[in-house]
């Protein structure tokens, strides 16, 4: 794999004089230790000096990517501005948490939101977003960010990468894993504190990981922000889909701005870079806008992913053949009328995440009396069409608003 350093097959970078497990060669011991869940690594460092060196070395991540069966499927939570708050990784298999360091702080900016996190190989990227900049005027007006950062799990360190050509937040984003590229499309300067303010854009860019370079591509047919992006197909037939979002806004009574939401999707054929439009996915009056969208990749089925939407407590599935949304299932347990849901696809399943406050009856029933409350996850398997659930304590010392918190997945 191109993500791995050339020296990944040797344990020499630790120290040949140090024994990892008595009675075993270091190569064998390193392989065994690499299969332990990633979320436990920080706690295992305190076991002994040799383990501290091993679990802090680059060879650990290299070994895990060399043996994909050892990789953990993790959820990454960004509770708020990652410049001031640490993101947390959660392992649903071992029900364990570990935190990552906050991103490098910039004293001139604050309130970063609407950014996009995405994982690619042993790296986690945080791209763009909307923020407030003390150097701009007026100070209370949000602006878009073109900054991008990468967390290297080899070194456990954040590093800045090349900035996007155009600043943007609330944009479509997807990664091409086999060619180490990331595509972004649309977006604008909208901040979560302002309903319909901000700009919209149509520009599209591609990031080359190896060159650390952004390249402009043909723009979207129309201005579009608040959209989602994903890939369909493999090889030369791969397509980049951009779905939903909003374009221009209109005003009610000449005073109240209201977004005009799209009912269609646009598709770029990567081999020629051309865009085509897909018709409306629902009729006028059927719904106002898309709910939360997640995509389950399926490389075996000719690269056709499973596309699902959560609208209230209803799950819908997108059928490409008919260009329509059909009912798939319903969330078994609703927490409360004012609770927010997080939605993410992990290891072929859909996670509906809700935050339970400590004083809630549901939290007391689950016996997670922590200061920060509890996480309750209802998990849907589209293949088996079954639901299961799990509950865990929350590492956050405050209530988590899942409408504004950002969640992504990491395979590590």
């Amino acid at each position: 794999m191109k993500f791995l350093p050339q020296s990944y097959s040797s344990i020499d970078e630790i120290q040949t004089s140090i024994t990892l497990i008595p009675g075993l060669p270091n190569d064998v011991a390193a392989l065994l230790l690499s299969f332990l869940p990633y979320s436990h690594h920080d706690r295992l460092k305190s076991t002994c000096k040799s383990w501290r060196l091993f679990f802090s070395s680059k060879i650990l991540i290299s070994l895990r990517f060399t043996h994909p069966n050892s990789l953990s499927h993790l959820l990454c939570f960004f509770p708020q501005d990652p410049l001031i708050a640490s993101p947390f990784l959660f392992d649903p298999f071992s029900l364990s948490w570990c935190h990552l360091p906050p991103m490098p702080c910039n004293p001139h900016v604050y309130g970063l939101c609407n950014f996009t996190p995405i994982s690619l190989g042993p790296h986690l990227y945080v791209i763009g977003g909307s923020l407030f900049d003390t150097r701009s005027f007026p100070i209370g007006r949000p602006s878009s960010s073109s900054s991008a950062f990468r967390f290297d799990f080899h070194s456990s360190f954040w590093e800045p990468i090349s900035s996007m050509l155009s600043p943007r937040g609330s944009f479509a984003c997807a990664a091409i894993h086999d060619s180490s590229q990331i595509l972004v499309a649309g977006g604008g300067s909208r901040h979560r504190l302002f309903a319909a303010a901000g700009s919209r854009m149509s520009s599209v860019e591609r990031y080359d990981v190896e060159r650390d370079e952004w390249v402009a591509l043909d723009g979207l047919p129309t201005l579009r922000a608040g959209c989602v992006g994903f890939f369909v197909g493999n090889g030369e037939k791969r397509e980049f889909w951009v779905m939903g979002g909003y374009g221009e806004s209109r005003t009610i009574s000449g005073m109240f701005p209201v977004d005009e939401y799209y009912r269609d999707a646009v598709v770029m054929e990567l081999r020629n870079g051309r865009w085509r439009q897909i018709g409306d996915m629902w009729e006028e009056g059927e719904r106002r806008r898309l709910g939360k969208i997640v995509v389950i990749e399926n490389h075996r089925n000719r690269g056709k992913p499973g596309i699902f939407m959560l609208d209230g407590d209803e799950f819908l599935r997108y059928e490409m053949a008919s260009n329509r949304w059909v009912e798939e299932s319903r969330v078994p347990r609703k927490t409360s009328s004012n609770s927010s849901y997080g939605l993410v696809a992990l290891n072929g399943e859909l996670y509906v995440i809700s935050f339970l406050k400590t004083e809630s009856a549901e939290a007391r029933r689950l016996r997670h009396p922590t200061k920060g409350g509890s996480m309750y996850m209802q998990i849907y398997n589209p293949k088996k069409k079954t639901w299961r659930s799990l509950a865990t304590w929350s590492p956050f010392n405050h209530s988590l608003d899942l409408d504004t918190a950002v969640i992504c997945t990491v395979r590590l």
Side-chain angles (χ1 to χ4, degrees):
M1 294 180 65
K2 62 181 67 178
F3 296 119
L4 303 181
Q6 294 180 354
S7 59
Y8 75 90
S9 61
S10 175
I11 196 68
D12 291 340
E13 81 172 68
I14 304 288
Q15 280 188 20
T16 55
S17 60
I18 289 180
T19 301
L20 291 176
I21 299 178
L24 288 179
N26 274 350
D27 287 342
V28 176
L31 181 60
L32 292 175
L33 293 176
S34 70
F35 276 78
L36 295 172
Y38 179 82
S39 53
H40 293 331
H41 290 182
D42 277 345
R43 282 173 286 182
L44 293 171
K45 289 179 182 178
S46 60
T47 303
C48 59
K49 180 180 178 181
S50 61
W51 284 26
R52 178 175 58 82
L53 291 173
F54 174 72
F55 285 108
S56 302
S57 67
K58 293 184 178 181
I59 193 173
L60 171 62
I61 302 298
S62 302
L63 283 171
R64 292 178 69 84
F65 275 92
T66 306
H67 301 84
N69 291 335
S70 69
L71 295 178
S72 300
H73 295 270
L74 309 173
L75 297 176
C76 185
F77 289 81
F78 292 83
Q80 53 182 309
D81 185 346
L83 299 173
I84 60 174
S86 296
F88 276 80
L89 295 177
F90 175 67
D91 187 342
F93 180 76
S94 60
L95 299 182
S96 55
W97 294 85
C98 66
H99 76 278
L100 302 179
M103 282 170 32
C105 181
N106 184 336
H108 299 290
V109 301
Y110 63 97
L112 179 65
C113 68
N114 294 334
F115 56 90
T116 297
I118 190 168
S119 64
L120 186 60
H123 298 106
L124 174 63
Y125 294 82
V126 173
I127 305 172
S130 301
L131 48 75
F132 295 99
D133 194 326
T134 59
R135 297 164 295 183
S136 64
F137 182 83
I139 295 178
R141 179 177 296 174
S143 58
S144 299
S145 172
S146 61
S147 298
F149 294 87
R150 177 174 62 194
F151 183 77
D152 188 343
F153 286 98
H154 282 133
S155 59
S156 297
F157 185 75
W158 287 99
E159 57 183 351
I161 60 174
S162 295
S163 298
M164 289 184 290
L165 303 179
S166 301
R168 70 187 78 217
S170 300
F171 52 93
C173 180
I176 309 177
H177 294 273
D178 55 7
S179 61
S180 304
Q181 295 183 2
I182 300 173
L183 264 66
V184 298
S189 65
R190 180 174 179 171
H191 195 273
R192 66 190 181 194
L193 298 180
F194 297 85
S199 62
R200 283 82 164 150
M201 61 194 311
S202 61
S203 72
V204 180
E205 301 177 37
R206 182 184 67 240
Y207 177 69
D208 189 306
V209 172
E210 293 184 347
R211 297 182 179 181
D212 186 26
E213 179 183 33
W214 292 91
V215 178
L217 304 178
D218 288 346
L220 297 167
T222 57
L223 301 175
R224 191 181 295 248
C227 42
V228 296
F230 53 89
F231 288 104
V232 175
N234 294 316
E236 295 185 354
K237 296 183 178 180
R238 181 178 282 133
E239 299 174 333
F240 179 48
W241 283 56
V242 177
M243 182 178 287
Y246 51 88
E248 298 293 343
S249 63
R250 59 184 176 88
T251 58
I252 299 177
S253 301
M255 295 180 59
F256 304 102
V258 178
D259 290 318
E260 293 283 2
Y261 288 93
Y262 287 110
R263 293 179 288 166
D264 66 343
V266 291
V267 180
M268 172 191 279
E269 298 180 12
L270 292 188
R271 60 183 176 182
N272 55 31
R274 297 177 182 175
W275 290 93
R276 73 174 188 273
Q277 292 182 297
I278 306 296
D280 291 347
M281 295 176 285
W282 64 86
E283 301 295 335
E284 184 70 34
E286 184 179 349
R287 68 176 64 250
R288 180 168 174 258
R289 58 175 176 174
L290 291 175
K292 294 184 176 181
I293 303 292
V294 293
V295 178
I296 297 179
E297 296 182 359
N298 188 353
H299 300 289
R300 296 180 180 179
N301 188 20
R302 298 180 180 179
K304 292 184 179 180
I307 306 164
F308 298 88
M309 173 173 63
L310 179 62
D311 189 6
D313 64 340
E314 182 182 14
F315 255 119
L316 302 169
R317 184 184 74 256
Y318 177 66
E319 292 187 345
M320 289 188 178
S322 61
N323 191 31
R324 285 293 182 268
W325 291 92
V326 297
E327 185 174 353
E328 173 77 10
S329 183
R330 287 186 176 273
V331 179
R333 184 189 295 271
K334 295 188 66 175
T335 53
S336 64
S337 58
N338 58 352
S339 293
S340 58
Y341 285 119
L343 180 65
V344 66
L346 179 69
N347 197 23
E349 296 182 309
L350 308 175
Y351 282 65
V352 181
I353 306 169
S354 54
F355 183 83
L356 304 177
K357 297 182 179 179
T358 305
E359 64 270 15
S360 68
E362 185 70 13
R364 291 195 298 270
R365 186 187 70 81
L366 295 171
R367 298 181 180 179
H368 287 274
T370 61
K371 182 179 178 180
S374 303
M375 291 284 188
Y376 184 52
M377 304 183 186
Q378 301 178 79
I379 305 166
Y380 179 69
N381 189 315
K383 292 183 178 179
K384 299 179 181 178
K385 298 188 181 299
T386 57
W387 286 90
R388 60 187 178 90
S389 63
L390 63 86
T392 181
W393 63 277
S394 170
F396 311 109
N397 293 324
H398 53 80
S399 297
L400 190 64
D401 184 357
L402 290 169
D403 284 333
T404 56
V406 181
I407 310 173
C408 71
T409 61
V410 178
R411 192 164 179 255
L412 191 63

